[in-house]
Amino acid sequence: LWLPLFAKAIESKKDNGLIYDKKAIEIAEKASQLSPKLHKWWNNISKELQGIMIWRYLCIDEYVNNFISKKNESTIVNIGAGLCTRQQRINNSSVTWLEFDLPDVKKVWLEFNKESDNHKYFTSNIFEDDWINDIKSLQKGPVLFIAEGLFMYFSKKQVLEILKKIATNFSGSEIIFEAYSKFLLMLPQTDVKKTTAKNFPMPWGIKTGKEFEKWDHRLKHLGDNYLMENKNALKRMPLRHQIVSFIPLIKKGGKMVHLRFK
């Protein structure tokens, strides 16, 4: 929960920061005061994770801005939202933001945020139907789903189940989500190892987002955005990551996949 938030806050406080997230700084500093044990993350975030957070920030924000710029009204559905601050960065009154995560996460989120008419936080189970009804009850205009740093923790079967639910209920909507090759998911992740979380318990992977079209005929691949091709992210990565980024197996390993539900 805290790793992505602190990584963005740390980068934002740098004099030469490659991103700036005012809300992330605010939450990280307040959380450190409320719970001093969290302060250790200021000095304990790996360069690898900082690079990934820069990529997510720049890449997903660009996708969202492009999506909402073409619509009078739109709805953003953030699955596994955690302490995401994107709604505050992209402050657009014509957009309805619906965040979904676990009940304990919402309790933490509410310590630093307030719900509003166009910004709600839900704890519905995404493997059941209540979350679909929640979206439909508040949806305005086309829907863009986001799954940032989430699907790698699910099995391939679970990911397909989620995609099928969206395809059945929100034809014409789009989704952007993070995906990796199975090879990369098999490697130990430095920051995950520092927590009580398991690395990736059911690793599955893809070479390209085009593979999802074979999962279900209603999935249309619109493109991939590769982590190791993001120059800003690589600036923060360790030297060894910069070197291996030229290896095809690594270069195309991490990607943000963009699909439309036909």
Side-chain angles (χ1 to χ4, degrees):
L1 176 65
W2 292 105
L3 289 171
L5 187 281
F6 270 85
K8 285 182 287 187
I10 290 168
E11 184 63 32
S12 298
K13 286 176 72 72
K14 291 179 180 291
D15 291 336
N16 62 340
L18 299 171
I19 60 174
Y20 183 71
D21 192 326
K22 180 180 178 180
K23 186 66 175 180
I25 296 174
E26 175 190 322
I27 295 174
E29 290 181 341
K30 184 177 178 181
S32 294
Q33 293 171 2
L34 294 173
S35 181
K37 65 181 180 180
L38 288 175
H39 190 75
K40 68 178 183 178
W41 293 114
W42 283 114
N43 301 309
N44 209 26
I45 298 291
S46 72
K47 290 183 178 180
E48 177 188 5
L49 183 63
Q50 274 193 261
I52 292 174
M53 289 306 112
I54 291 169
W55 169 59
R56 287 182 184 175
Y57 179 112
L58 297 173
C59 173
I60 298 178
D61 279 17
E62 183 177 3
Y63 276 125
V64 172
N65 279 315
N66 287 340
F67 184 84
I68 66 178
S69 68
K70 302 170 186 175
K71 319 289 191 298
N72 292 325
E73 289 185 314
S74 53
T75 299
I76 307 296
V77 177
N78 194 5
I79 314 172
L83 296 173
C84 182
T85 55
R86 187 163 288 108
Q87 190 270 348
Q88 289 87 353
R89 293 200 301 273
I90 306 176
N91 188 5
N92 188 317
S93 60
S94 67
V95 181
T96 298
W97 295 81
L98 308 178
E99 322 268 15
F100 287 83
D101 214 312
L102 301 172
D104 286 347
V105 177
K106 181 176 181 178
K107 290 179 183 178
V108 177
W109 185 85
L110 286 173
E111 291 186 33
F112 310 101
N113 301 275
K114 291 182 179 179
E115 291 185 288
S116 64
D117 290 342
N118 69 334
H119 191 198
K120 303 287 185 181
Y121 208 109
F122 295 91
T123 59
S124 312
N125 187 334
I126 61 173
F127 293 104
E128 297 177 359
D129 291 331
D130 285 350
W131 80 294
I132 298 295
N133 297 328
D134 290 333
I135 298 169
K136 288 182 176 180
S137 67
L138 294 168
Q139 176 187 351
K140 293 181 180 179
V143 183
L144 174 65
F145 292 83
I146 301 172
E148 178 180 352
L150 178 69
F151 283 172
M152 65 280 284
Y153 289 98
F154 293 157
S155 69
K156 181 177 180 178
K157 180 180 179 181
Q158 289 172 318
V159 173
L160 177 58
E161 182 180 344
I162 294 170
L163 294 177
K164 283 181 175 289
K165 275 188 179 292
I166 297 174
T168 299
N169 290 278
F170 300 98
S171 178
S173 65
E174 298 178 19
I175 186 170
I176 48 178
F177 59 92
E178 198 171 345
Y180 292 86
S181 66
K182 188 172 183 178
F183 170 74
L184 289 185
L185 293 181
M186 297 289 284
L187 300 177
Q189 211 290 323
T190 304
D191 297 275
V192 175
K193 286 170 64 178
K194 297 174 186 175
T195 73
T196 57
K198 293 181 180 179
N199 198 41
F200 302 111
M202 299 167 283
W204 58 275
I206 56 165
K207 292 182 179 179
T208 168
K210 189 74 174 176
E211 294 178 31
F212 286 98
E213 293 185 349
K214 298 178 182 179
W215 287 29
D216 189 290
H217 71 277
R218 295 170 295 179
L219 304 181
K220 172 65 177 176
H221 180 237
L222 299 180
D224 294 330
N225 183 297
Y226 293 98
L227 166 61
M228 289 300 186
E229 290 183 350
N230 188 295
K231 294 180 179 179
N232 286 310
L234 282 175
K235 287 179 182 178
R236 288 290 182 259
M237 293 277 197
L239 180 60
R240 66 179 182 277
H241 286 64
Q242 297 177 34
I243 294 172
V244 300
S245 68
F246 293 100
I247 301 173
L249 182 64
I250 304 295
K251 184 177 183 179
K252 302 290 186 179
K255 72 278 294 177
M256 204 67 69
V257 178
H258 187 194
L259 303 178
R260 177 179 293 125
F261 299 93
K262 294 190 291 185

